[in-house]
């Protein structure tokens, strides 16, 4: 059973419907006690980093997530939910994140090194470049996924970046370490490829977060 | 590289798609979910649903349509038409829409753009702009109420204004080209696309594959939208994409 963490800022509906289509059990809750019954979590998110962390802090979810991950339970952050896994972000003022992955969240500059302008947000379908194997990419082909974001992860550890996408800079698109995962794009909106990645995560959770299986 | 998006637009009235009559192979050509699935299979990158219901009941039905589409489709979609306040946005986004599009309401009450962007993030807020060439102005003028009312706004100024206020994307329709099928309005598209930092969707005038290629290469559009040529099967998303790829446009 997957627990979708509801802190008031998620695209809960599309994520939960995607799990339904894949026929995985899930529930949505904002209550740590309730959530603890889950075998693994999805942390969705749309909106600003600062508002999201405030909501997580106020609902006692920050420490809950940190201790659950410490205890070995898998988590998948989606879009803003992925960004929250990092140490900090400068969106609307410097804010600490969950600190489960190394790196910080910064805004796209909107100008290349040679002075050319590019559009922010990074919106639309971009191709994934796989960097290393991961339970999330099992039997998944390298294709396009749907992004919409203005901030991205920087200063990441190479071994924690599973796939990237190129948008002037290399954007960490699938990230993870042990049983902590994130996707900068929306798997639930990324057609067959996205659904494959969600299915892999759900499988990983159902198998108790065992990487060797 | 981010790809250029091809976006079919569906007009929905009282919960039914209007104009989608050429889909003989569909069980129900008026069912928004059936049509959405069809376009998804065809490779559409995104969909726009325009609610043209006149009645309150029709608008309420639209929420169910959005829920149904979201539950069965794994590509992003935008809902426009009848979005006049933050509560309307909330209803559509909660029902599963990825973005909402504001048109007349944005002109009448520009602070709505900022409220929406603050609440849901800029990426959710599309501002639709209907523009028509005005010789006196020497540029394109912004219209509201489905093209009936002229405003004081020149299109580039208005585009910059909506981005400043938090719009994450612009859906730009050329009223001059709309329905003519002789190509998107390239000077208009280019003028707006180069003036703003957010993605611009070109709309109005699509007739064939080359028109899409022109919108991307000359108009600098990030996406292009069409309705009738897809609905009446004059061409398909698949065909347009194959052609665009041949012409060097990066598509999914």
């Amino acid at each position: 059973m997957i627990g979708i963490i509801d802190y008031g800022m998620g695209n809960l509906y599309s994520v939960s419907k995607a799990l339904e289509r894949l026929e995985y059990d899930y529930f949505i809750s904002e209550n740590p006690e309730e959530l603890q019954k889950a075998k693994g979590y999805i942390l969705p998110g749309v909106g600003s980093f600062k508002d999201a962390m405030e909501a997580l802090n106020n609902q006692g979810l920050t420490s809950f997530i940190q201790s659950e991950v410490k205890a070995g339970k898998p988590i998948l952050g989606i879009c803003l939910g992925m960004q929250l896994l990092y140490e900090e972000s400068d969106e609307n003022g410097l804010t600490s994140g969950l600190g489960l992955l190394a790196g910080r969240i910064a805004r796209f500059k909107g100008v290349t090194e040679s002075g050319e302008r590019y559009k922010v947000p990074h919106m639309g379908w971009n191709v994934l470049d796989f960097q290393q194997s991961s339970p999330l990419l099992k039997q998944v082909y390298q294709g396009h996924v749907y992004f919409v974001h203005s901030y991205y992860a920087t200063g990441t550890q190479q071994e924690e970046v599973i796939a990237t996408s190129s948008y002037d800079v290399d954007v960490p698109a699938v990230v993870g370490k042990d049983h902590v995962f994130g996707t900068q794009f929306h798997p639930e909106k990324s057609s067959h490829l996205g659904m494959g990645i969600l299915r892999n995560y759900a499988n990983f959770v159902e198998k108790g977060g065992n990487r060797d299986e | 590289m981010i790809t250029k998006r091809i976006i079919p637009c569906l007009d929905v009235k009282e919960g039914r798609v209007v104009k989608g009559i050429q889909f003989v192979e569909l069980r129900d050509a008026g069912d928004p979910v059936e049509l959405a699935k069809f376009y998804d299979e065809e490779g559409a990158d995104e969909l726009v649903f325009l609610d043209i219901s006149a009645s309150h009941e029709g608008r309420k039905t639209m929420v169910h349509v959005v829920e149904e589409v979201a539950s069965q489709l794994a590509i992003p979609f935008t809902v426009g038409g009848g979005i006049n306040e933050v509560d309307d946005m909330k209803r559509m986004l909660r029902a599963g829409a990825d973005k909402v599009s504001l048109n007349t309401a944005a002109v009448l009450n520009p602070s709505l753009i900022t409220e929406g962007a603050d609440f849901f993030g800029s990426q959710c807020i599309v501002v639709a702009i209907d523009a028509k060439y005005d010789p006196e102005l020497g540029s394109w003028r912004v219209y509201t109420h489905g093209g009936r009312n002229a405003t004081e706004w020149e299109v580039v100024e208005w585009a910059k204004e909506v981005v400043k206020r938090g719009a994450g994307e612009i859906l730009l329709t050329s009223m001059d080209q709309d329905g003519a099928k002789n190509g998107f309005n390239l000077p208009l598209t280019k003028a707006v696309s180069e003036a703003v930092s957010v993605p611009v969707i070109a709309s109005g005038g699509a007739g064939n594959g080359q028109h899409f290629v022109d919108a991307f290469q000359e108009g600098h559009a990030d996406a292009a939208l069409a309705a009738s040529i897809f609905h009446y099967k004059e061409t398909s998303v698949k065909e347009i994409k194959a052609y665009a790829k041949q012409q060097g446009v990066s598509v999914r």
Side-chain angles (χ1 to χ4, degrees):
Chain A
M1 184 83 96
I2 293 172
I4 300 178
I5 302 173
D6 180 9
Y7 57 104
M9 296 188 64
N11 44 339
L12 304 172
Y13 191 83
S14 41
V15 173
S16 55
K17 286 294 159 186
L19 290 176
E20 261 169 49
R21 279 201 301 275
L22 293 170
E23 299 182 336
Y24 281 95
D25 286 336
Y26 71 91
F27 65 95
I28 299 171
S29 175
E30 69 290 324
N31 179 351
E33 227 166 89
E34 192 67 32
L35 282 166
Q36 231 207 334
K37 296 172 189 156
K39 285 172 85 174
Y41 302 102
I42 290 181
L43 183 65
V46 166
S48 91
F49 192 100
K50 191 176 187 165
D51 293 347
M53 280 313 298
E54 265 171 25
L56 288 176
N57 290 337
N58 290 340
Q59 290 173 237
L61 287 166
T62 304
S63 50
F64 168 76
I65 293 170
Q66 285 163 336
S67 70
E68 287 291 283
V69 166
K70 212 171 190 178
K73 278 206 200 163
I75 188 167
L76 171 69
I78 296 175
C79 198
L80 174 64
M82 176 208 99
Q83 297 181 359
L84 298 173
L85 303 175
Y86 284 89
E87 291 162 297
E88 59 181 25
S89 165
D90 55 16
E91 184 175 6
N92 300 340
L94 196 65
T95 309
S96 294
L98 293 166
L100 301 171
L101 296 173
R104 60 191 312 274
I105 307 303
R107 195 170 207 279
F108 283 114
K109 287 201 173 71
V111 186
T112 65
E113 269 180 24
S114 53
E116 248 174 274
R117 281 175 56 202
Y118 62 90
K119 303 249 165 155
V120 179
H122 172 217
M123 184 186 279
W125 297 81
N126 205 336
V127 75
L128 282 183
D129 299 317
F130 294 175
Q131 304 295 330
Q132 53 184 305
S133 66
S134 161
L136 250 52
L137 300 184
K138 232 190 235 170
Q139 292 179 330
V140 161
Y141 63 94
Q142 195 161 292
H144 291 90
V145 290
Y146 184 77
F147 290 87
V148 47
H149 62 122
S150 300
Y151 289 77
Y152 71 107
T154 62
T156 50
Q157 301 288 312
Q158 204 184 348
E159 63 273 19
E160 294 179 4
V161 176
I162 296 165
T164 56
S165 254
S166 171
Y167 191 60
D168 182 52
V169 290
D170 273 338
V171 178
V174 183
V175 297
K177 179 176 85 172
D178 304 327
H179 48 282
V180 176
F181 298 101
T183 62
Q184 179 60 73
F185 56 89
H186 287 276
E188 77 282 9
K189 289 288 167 183
S190 296
S191 203
H192 302 296
L193 172 47
M195 295 302 279
I197 289 174
L198 263 188
R199 182 186 289 114
N200 282 339
Y201 176 70
N203 264 332
F204 182 79
V205 171
E206 291 306 321
K207 286 178 179 157
N210 188 347
R211 278 186 166 252
D212 301 326
E213 287 207 37
Chain B
M1 260 294 281
I2 195 115
T3 55
K4 300 291 188 183
R5 288 170 281 154
I6 310 279
I7 308 176
C9 176
L10 305 164
D11 285 350
V12 180
K13 192 178 182 183
E14 322 290 327
R16 304 278 297 170
V17 175
V18 292
K19 288 201 281 200
I21 55 168
Q22 296 295 307
F23 288 88
V24 281
E25 70 271 36
L26 294 181
R27 198 158 36 88
D28 177 357
D31 178 15
V33 179
E34 289 274 314
L35 274 164
K37 277 189 184 161
F38 175 85
Y39 283 125
D40 179 20
E41 290 304 316
E42 282 264 285
D45 296 304
E46 213 169 310
L47 295 171
V48 170
F49 291 90
L50 204 55
D51 183 14
I52 55 168
S53 299
S55 69
H56 181 64
E57 278 306 303
R59 296 231 180 277
K60 279 213 306 223
T61 310
M62 192 63 194
V63 176
H64 300 299
V65 170
V66 171
E67 279 173 358
E68 271 301 298
V69 171
S71 76
Q72 299 197 38
L73 217 64
I75 61 169
F77 67 98
T78 302
V79 178
I83 311 268
N84 296 317
E85 46 187 291
V86 170
D87 274 349
D88 296 330
M89 301 184 204
K90 201 178 282 178
R91 217 167 289 131
M92 290 307 175
L93 295 170
R94 286 238 172 108
D98 300 281
K99 310 175 203 174
V100 288
S101 149
L102 309 172
N103 192 334
T104 301
V107 177
L108 298 182
N109 175 19
S111 62
L112 188 60
I113 304 167
T114 318
E115 281 173 53
D118 283 349
F119 213 90
F120 308 106
S122 280
Q123 78 286 341
C124 292
I125 311 297
V126 182
V127 172
I129 303 178
D130 294 339
K132 188 177 171 182
Y133 192 74
D134 183 336
E136 262 174 53
L137 191 65
S139 181
W140 299 268
R141 188 181 287 283
V142 175
Y143 280 70
T144 59
H145 299 87
R148 289 191 298 277
N149 299 357
T151 71
E152 292 298 309
W153 285 100
E154 187 275 331
V155 70
V156 171
E157 290 311 309
W158 176 235
K160 285 184 184 164
E161 177 71 18
V162 303
V163 171
K164 201 173 82 190
R165 287 177 178 272
E169 192 169 32
I170 289 174
L171 168 52
L172 178 66
T173 302
S174 161
M175 292 166 59
D176 303 295
Q177 307 300 110
D178 204 22
K181 294 186 189 169
N182 55 7
F184 293 96
N185 190 326
L186 303 178
L188 168 68
T189 306
K190 190 174 176 193
V192 173
S193 190
E194 287 186 343
V196 297
S197 54
V198 303
V200 172
I201 306 169
S203 157
N208 60 40
Q210 186 59 42
H211 295 154
F212 284 85
V213 171
D214 292 341
F216 300 138
Q217 290 180 339
E218 284 181 47
H220 298 183
D222 302 278
L225 174 144
S228 56
I229 57 162
F230 294 139
H231 300 327
Y232 296 119
K233 288 211 133 178
E234 289 160 31
T235 181
S236 69
V237 176
K238 215 177 259 170
E239 266 173 37
I240 302 265
K241 282 195 159 182
Y243 181 77
K245 198 176 263 177
Q246 230 175 52
Q247 300 301 311
V249 176
S250 161
V251 292
R252 177 168 71 105

